[in-house]
Amino acid sequence: MFKRLVDIGTPVTFDFEGRPLTAQAGDSLASALLANGVLDFRQAPEDGTVRGPHCMIGNCFECLVEVEGLGTRQACRERVRDGLKVRRHSGRPVPGEQP
Amino acid sequence: MTEPVIVIGAGPGGLAAATTLARAGAPVRLLDEQPAAGGQLYRASERIGGDATSPLKGWLGPDYGAGLPLIRAAQAEANIDWRFDTAVWDIRCDDDGIALGLLSGESVFQDRAAHVVLATGAQERPAPFPGWTLPGVLGIGAAQTLFKDAGLAPEPDVVLAGSGPLLYLFAIQLLNAGITPQAILETAPKNIAPSILPALFRAALRHGSSLVKGLAWRRRIDGSSVPHLYGITDLKAAGDGRVETVSFRHGGREHTLKTSLLLVHDGVMPNTHLTVAARCDHQWNDQQQYWHPTVDAVGRTSQAGLWLVGDGAGILGAEAAVLQGRTAGRALAADLGLTPPDAGTDAADRKALDDLRVLRAFLDRQYPPSPVFGAIADDTIVCRCEAVTAGEIRGLARRGCMGPNQARAFTRAGMGPCMGRQCGNSVGRLMAEELGQPVDQVGHYSARPPIKPVTLAQLASLAGKER
Ligand SMILES: Cc1cc2nc3c(=O)[nH]c(=O)nc-3n(C[C@H](O)[C@@H](O)[C@H](O)COP(=O)(O)OP(=O)(O)OC[C@H]3O[C@@H](n4cnc5c(N)ncnc54)[C@H](O)[C@@H]3O)c2cc1C
Ligand code: FES
């Protein structure tokens, strides 16, 4: 797992699966979740296995989460904000498309 | 001249190209999907370099420190119009120039220029092995990204596996931060094979300082308490919903380690989604097993007006990206009828670039793509998005499937959200191997826009909008 060695910003509270979690301003959603010990971000529709961030630079799409009920977002390319509601993603994301 | 040159990517290559063009008097629009300049190597340079109290600068080392002056030099140019948080999702070359589809926040818009410089860099080479889709298995570059961006570091039970300069560099950065990884499992052999010695001697003559640095890294790692094994094979990750154990063979025996985090690395390869979408000519680098666009000595692609600098043109490293950016910037300025800045250093830049090519020829031979990740077992997933295994791809090839694009239609491999960024390289190699043909004959996936996720609602809002 990961631990925070250096602070990058002021505390931010967001909601993951109904639980309040604390991150720091400047965190991506992926780093915010990893800093809280969350590794599994989504369930792959094809084989039902759980997946989590793999590349951290927007390439692998394994970090997909649901943000504010709006559908699929890449957690490594999205910034965390106070009060943001985030859930694990499950189901089939359409290529090149955020349903 | 008033029409801006568009530079895509604010890493070392793009920063150098933009600065050179701006100094020549060309207006430049510099786009990057990230919120700040620096690209992969110099990521978060402004935050970390600008904070005298941040220990990260010291931990990351002197090479990382070279990024901030590059960024500051670009910021000093009034001719550069910076556009961060702007992703390029479409590129088309036609008789009127180059048209781009851009996405910024929730807005989608179009831009167009006669001259575009791509500096879109590289990605870690996907390294398939049993268990690589488990949460907690990340790239070494991915973990380094978290280190720079978020100050997050692996806990000491971390296992590093694979090969290449980035493996050593990150191990050193962790040691600097006081973290001693549980183990380093290198897939490369310890000794340099006799057949590689001539390349080593040539590199020593042309770029000895880098070899000395590499040796010092290795000595520091081997002098630490971290177990460092060479030539491991049969890497596997296992666990229930997340990685819990790593196993491998070494010294004729199977070993298993408990861990919560496995970081792997098998080198980097160019990002080719934009250049494939732009229908640039590409060629296969058989030694490094990757596709890269064909460019001339100063960075012109096969598409008129479209230039490419940095690791996106073939992996040469950040120092080379800067030299390529400057060289291309000067050549493009001359094409535009402007006086290129620092024309006197052009010959020196090209010589320095040649030296780096000689260094890379050695690194490429010492760290080829590892057979540990290349010999993919039939039941290992290659397409992570659609859970397609190597065996399915091999089976298709045996049944007469012609190449990656046909395999994509049959299996959906490459049709998931990552659009083949993770499986394209493996699928091409697997099919070529099975068909007994060279990879460049088998071909690669085509790329259809949008190459970044764009919603239908965003697309619908596009009508008629520019910039
Ligand atoms: C994860 C990772 C970590 C690395 N770490 C190191 C390191 O520590 N040391 C080292 O020597 N080398 C490292 N490298 C190698 C790296 O390629 C460097 O050699 C160097 O960063 C290359 O510079 P560049 O200018 O070619 O591209 P980059 O620095 O990669 O910059 C490319 C830029 O283009 C942007 N971009 C790409 N596609 C788009 C798009 N469609 N729309 C908008 N913007 C886009 C990216 O956001 C990025 O900022 C790393 C590579 C990777 C993939
Ligand atoms: S972690 Fe790979 S796309 Fe986000």
Side-chain angles (χ1 to χ4, degrees):
Chain A
M1 279 306 309
F2 292 94
K3 67 172 177 219
R4 182 97 59 185
L5 281 197
V6 183
D7 291 331
I8 57 162
T10 49
V12 169
T13 306
F14 68 108
D15 178 298
F16 181 65
E17 296 283 343
R19 272 192 302 151
L21 296 182
T22 308
Q24 297 185 356
D27 264 325
S28 65
L29 275 183
S31 64
L33 288 169
L34 291 170
N36 281 282
V38 178
L39 279 176
D40 55 322
F41 284 38
R42 70 179 191 108
Q43 189 175 26
E46 284 309 317
D47 60 1
T49 58
V50 288
R51 304 286 179 87
H54 184 69
C55 78
M56 284 308 296
I57 60 168
N59 257 315
C60 73
F61 290 71
E62 290 286 24
C63 62
L64 298 177
V65 289
E66 211 180 280
V67 178
E68 297 285 334
L70 284 178
T72 322
R73 290 291 150 124
Q74 285 171 279
C76 70
R77 294 181 61 217
E78 199 88 8
R79 298 280 128 187
V80 72
R81 290 194 310 274
D82 246 324
L84 205 66
K85 288 196 169 44
V86 183
R87 302 192 75 88
R88 287 201 173 84
H89 184 266
S90 63
R92 165 175 285 282
V94 182
E97 177 66 1
Q98 299 169 329
Chain B
M1 203 205 73
T2 50
E3 199 205 54
V5 174
I6 296 178
V7 178
I8 304 172
L15 287 167
T19 307
T20 305
L21 284 160
R23 281 194 190 142
V28 176
R29 196 144 54 231
L30 179 52
L31 317 176
D32 200 300
E33 64 176 325
Q34 296 195 55
Q40 300 309 346
L41 166 54
Y42 302 135
R43 170 181 291 282
S45 278
E46 284 178 276
R47 195 195 80 238
I48 294 170
D51 174 2
T53 64
S54 174
L56 275 164
K57 195 163 46 177
W59 295 340
L60 288 166
D63 290 349
Y64 177 79
L68 193 57
L70 270 180
I71 296 170
R72 295 287 184 244
Q75 285 168 339
E77 297 303 321
N79 274 350
I80 301 178
D81 170 14
W82 299 78
R83 304 289 175 96
F84 291 115
D85 291 311
T86 303
V88 181
W89 57 268
D90 189 13
I91 181 165
R92 285 162 212 263
C93 303
D94 55 37
D95 293 343
D96 300 330
I98 298 157
L100 301 173
L102 307 179
L103 172 69
S104 182
E106 293 303 305
S107 316
V108 167
F109 39 96
Q110 284 177 314
D111 204 349
R112 172 176 278 287
H115 303 276
V116 171
V117 181
L118 297 173
T120 40
Q123 67 170 91
E124 288 188 277
R125 176 198 302 282
F129 62 94
W132 75 307
T133 56
L134 282 170
V137 179
L138 285 84
I140 285 184
Q144 194 201 35
T145 298
L146 285 161
F147 194 54
K148 294 171 183 169
D149 261 351
L152 291 185
E155 309 249 25
D157 73 337
V158 64
V159 174
L160 308 184
S163 75
L166 197 57
L167 170 77
Y168 286 158
L169 173 61
F170 192 52
I172 293 291
Q173 290 169 335
L174 291 182
L175 289 174
N176 287 344
I179 295 158
T180 48
Q182 175 176 188
I184 298 176
L185 310 177
E186 197 160 338
T187 50
K190 176 161 191 177
N191 296 321
I192 295 172
S195 61
I196 300 177
L197 287 176
L200 173 65
F201 290 137
R202 282 192 292 273
L205 288 177
R206 303 284 286 271
H207 221 275
S209 58
S210 288
L211 296 180
V212 170
K213 184 170 69 186
L215 269 179
W217 286 348
R218 191 149 140 172
R219 228 177 268 131
R220 167 111 186 267
I221 292 167
D222 288 341
S224 75
S225 59
V226 182
H228 182 185
L229 305 181
Y230 293 90
I232 68 109
T233 61
D234 298 87
L235 183 71
K236 289 188 191 76
D240 183 11
R242 62 200 292 168
V243 61
E244 288 163 352
T245 60
V246 180
S247 58
F248 59 96
R249 285 191 76 79
H250 182 259
R253 286 203 306 134
E254 169 135 350
H255 305 261
T256 300
L257 302 173
K258 279 196 175 145
T259 187
S260 64
L261 190 61
L262 170 62
L263 304 178
V264 292
H265 186 69
D266 194 27
V268 297
M269 62 183 205
N271 271 329
T272 51
H273 255 65
L274 276 177
T275 48
V276 170
R279 298 177 186 274
C280 294
D281 291 343
H282 286 70
Q283 61 197 82
W284 175 250
N285 177 331
D286 202 50
Q287 202 282 328
Q288 277 297 296
Q289 302 272 300
Y290 60 58
W291 288 97
H292 66 94
T294 306
V295 294
D296 73 5
V298 291
R300 288 185 192 88
T301 70
S302 60
Q303 290 285 15
L306 188 61
W307 298 61
L308 173 61
V309 300
D311 276 358
I315 306 305
L316 282 174
E319 216 182 311
V322 171
L323 296 165
Q324 289 171 311
R326 290 212 295 249
T327 308
R330 281 193 288 258
L332 175 50
D335 281 5
L336 296 171
L338 302 165
T339 311
D342 310 320
T345 56
D346 200 58
D349 280 358
R350 290 188 196 213
K351 159 79 172 60
L353 204 46
D354 272 346
D355 289 347
L356 287 166
R357 287 205 174 92
V358 174
L359 170 68
R360 186 59 52 171
F362 162 69
L363 290 176
D364 282 355
R365 298 191 65 182
Q366 179 63 13
Y367 301 110
S370 170
V372 173
F373 303 113
I376 313 170
D378 270 346
D379 55 357
T380 296
I381 285 177
V382 289
C383 168
R384 303 174 63 112
C385 299
E386 302 288 332
V388 179
T389 63
E392 288 173 68
I393 300 295
R394 289 194 178 104
L396 275 178
R398 278 197 299 274
R399 291 198 298 277
C401 175
M402 304 295 288
N405 284 311
Q406 235 184 33
R408 174 164 68 181
F410 285 129
T411 61
R412 295 191 56 85
M415 272 200 199
C418 98
M419 306 176 89
R421 287 173 175 88
Q422 291 292 309
C423 69
N425 191 272
S426 309
V427 167
R429 288 161 73 183
L430 284 168
M431 296 199 77
E433 198 181 271
E434 201 63 32
L435 295 168
Q437 289 174 7
V439 178
D440 40 7
Q441 208 164 313
V442 171
H444 56 75
Y445 288 146
S446 55
R448 276 181 225 104
I451 64 146
K452 295 263 169 186
V454 177
T455 64
L456 276 182
Q458 286 166 337
L459 278 180
S461 74
L462 181 64
K465 275 199 293 179
E466 288 267 317
R467 278 215 300 283

